[in-house]
């Protein structure tokens, strides 16, 4: 039996449309895990989200638990060498990116008509034409409601962009003139940063987030460095 990472293949000029799939892919590579990649079928797993891994028959869902599973199994630590303070900073940065900036980006992709129809609309192609528009309306309405409950949907567009710019600038400040966030070695938090920042920065979508990434001199080179090292296989495919 083997190890398989289930995710979503390249889309939107990215190695994956999901920042969590890209992060998990990078972290498995950093841990030296030999694995295959396959398309996720989210209806087949309890949490109904990708990424998930099947490791010799065992199912592990959620990128954080995937990392934890392999770190424990291999006796490895993707934060090795960091002080307790740096570990705390890494965790906080990851949470900011995935639990806030990611959702601002999701609103840009899913709730802005022009972005939705050239992007996520592709996920609905397997639905019969007569039911497709209804399905899109229903999913987008649910997302609007979820974002309102979360609070982000209560902010104006300008306010959301102000928050996003602060998050992106924070990563840029943390990175400084280093190759990666803590040093010249790629660590766990760099995978989270790549996942969310490359998703925000893809010019495939029309959103100010692209410009926020572009405006910082160090972010595009960081994204290029990671893409080259970890996703050549996806680019070549
Ligand atoms: N906390 C999860 C988040 C995973 C997640 O939100 N995945 C999204 C793609 S970005 C997904 O599978 N969505 C499919 C769906 O909701 O149907 C992780 O870190 O793995």
């Amino acid at each position: 039996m083997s190890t398989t990472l289930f995710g979503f293949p390249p889309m939107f000029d990215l190695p994956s449309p999901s920042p969590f799939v890209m992060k998990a892919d990078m972290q498995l590579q950093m841990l030296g895990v030999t694995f295959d990649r396959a398309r996720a079928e989210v209806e087949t797993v309890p949490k109904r989200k990708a990424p998930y891994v099947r490791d010799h028959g065992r199912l592990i869902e959620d990128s954080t638990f995937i990392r934890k599973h392999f770190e424990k199994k291999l006796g490895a630590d993707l934060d090795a060498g960091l002080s307790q303070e740096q570990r705390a900073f890494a965790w906080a940065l990851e949470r900011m990116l995935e639990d806030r900036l990611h959702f601002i980006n999701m609103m840009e992709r899913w709730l802005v008509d022009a972005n939705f129809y050239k992007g996520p609309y592709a996920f609905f192609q397997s639905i019969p034409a007569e039911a497709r528009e209804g399905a899109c309306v229903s999913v987008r309405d649910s997302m609007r409601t979820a974002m309102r409950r979360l609070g982000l949907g209560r902010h104006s567009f300008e306010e959301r962009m102000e928050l996003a710019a602060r998050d992106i600038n924070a990563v840029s400040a943390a990175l400084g003139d280093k190759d990666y966030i803590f040093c010249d070695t790629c660590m766990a938090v760099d995978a989270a940063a790549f996942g969310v920042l490359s998703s925000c920065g893809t010019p495939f979508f029309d959103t100010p987030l692209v410009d926020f990434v572009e405006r910082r001199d160090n972010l595009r080179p960081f994204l290029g460095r990671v893409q080259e090292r970890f996703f050549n296989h996806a680019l070549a495919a």
Side-chain angles (χ1 to χ4, degrees), residues 4 30 58 93 117 168 219:
T4 305
M30 284 183 226
R58 180 165 166 196
L93 204 62
Y117 283 104
I168 290 169
L219 294 181

Side-chain angles (χ1 to χ4, degrees), residues 14-26:
L14 292 166
S16 170
S18 164
F20 307 99
V21 169
M22 293 190 275
K23 177 181 77 170
D25 195 314
M26 283 177 68

Side-chain angles (χ1 to χ4, degrees), residues 22-215:
M22 293 190 275
K23 177 181 77 170
D25 195 314
M26 283 177 68
Q27 293 183 344
L28 291 183
Q29 293 186 55
M30 284 183 226
L31 286 162
V33 176
T34 303
F35 64 101
D36 299 314
R37 297 177 182 86
R39 182 183 285 275
E41 305 287 349
V42 292
E43 322 72 43
T44 66
V45 292
K47 293 186 185 175
R48 293 175 176 259
K49 297 267 184 200
Y52 57 92
V53 158
R54 285 195 195 277
D55 184 31
H56 297 268
R58 180 165 166 196
L59 171 69
I60 305 110
E61 297 176 86
D62 193 291
S63 61
T64 298
F65 296 119
I66 293 170
R67 171 185 168 187
K68 192 175 143 201
H69 167 80
F70 285 103
E71 283 183 329
K72 188 167 173 212
K73 179 175 169 178
L74 302 170
D77 176 6
L78 287 178
D79 284 342
L82 299 186
S83 66
Q84 288 306 318
E85 194 178 346
Q86 287 173 316
R87 285 169 189 264
F89 177 71
W91 181 247
L93 204 62
E94 180 169 333
R95 301 282 39 90
M96 174 190 81
L97 290 167
E98 296 183 351
D99 294 343
R100 199 202 23 213
L101 183 58
H102 163 68
F103 288 109
I104 295 177
N105 190 33
M106 285 305 96
M107 291 181 75
E108 292 293 288
R109 276 189 197 179
W110 284 77
L111 302 181
V112 174
D113 281 350
N115 285 337
F116 175 76
Y117 283 104
K118 72 171 165 176
Y121 186 61
F123 300 132
F124 295 79
Q125 289 313 305
S126 59
I127 298 176
E130 61 280 9
R132 195 175 304 145
E133 199 48 42
C136 292
V137 169
S138 156
V139 170
R140 296 177 79 199
D141 279 352
S142 309
M143 177 170 288
R144 214 170 273 113
T145 304
M147 290 300 110
R148 201 171 157 73
R149 288 211 179 107
L150 188 63
L152 285 174
R154 294 164 204 243
H155 298 320
S156 66
F157 169 76
E158 288 74 19
E159 287 171 331
R160 273 198 304 280
M161 290 304 113
E162 187 181 329
L163 297 174
R166 287 189 73 164
D167 293 352
I168 290 169
N169 292 347
V171 183
S172 169
L175 179 62
D177 59 7
K178 303 183 293 305
D179 276 0
Y180 298 102
I181 287 170
F182 285 112
C183 47
D184 293 333
T185 310
C186 191
M187 307 195 79
V189 69
D190 297 293
F194 176 82
V196 177
L197 290 186
S198 64
S199 299
C200 291
T202 175
F204 186 91
F205 294 108
D206 185 13
T207 162
L209 301 183
V210 179
D211 192 44
F212 297 159
V213 170
E214 221 60 66
R215 264 196 238 157

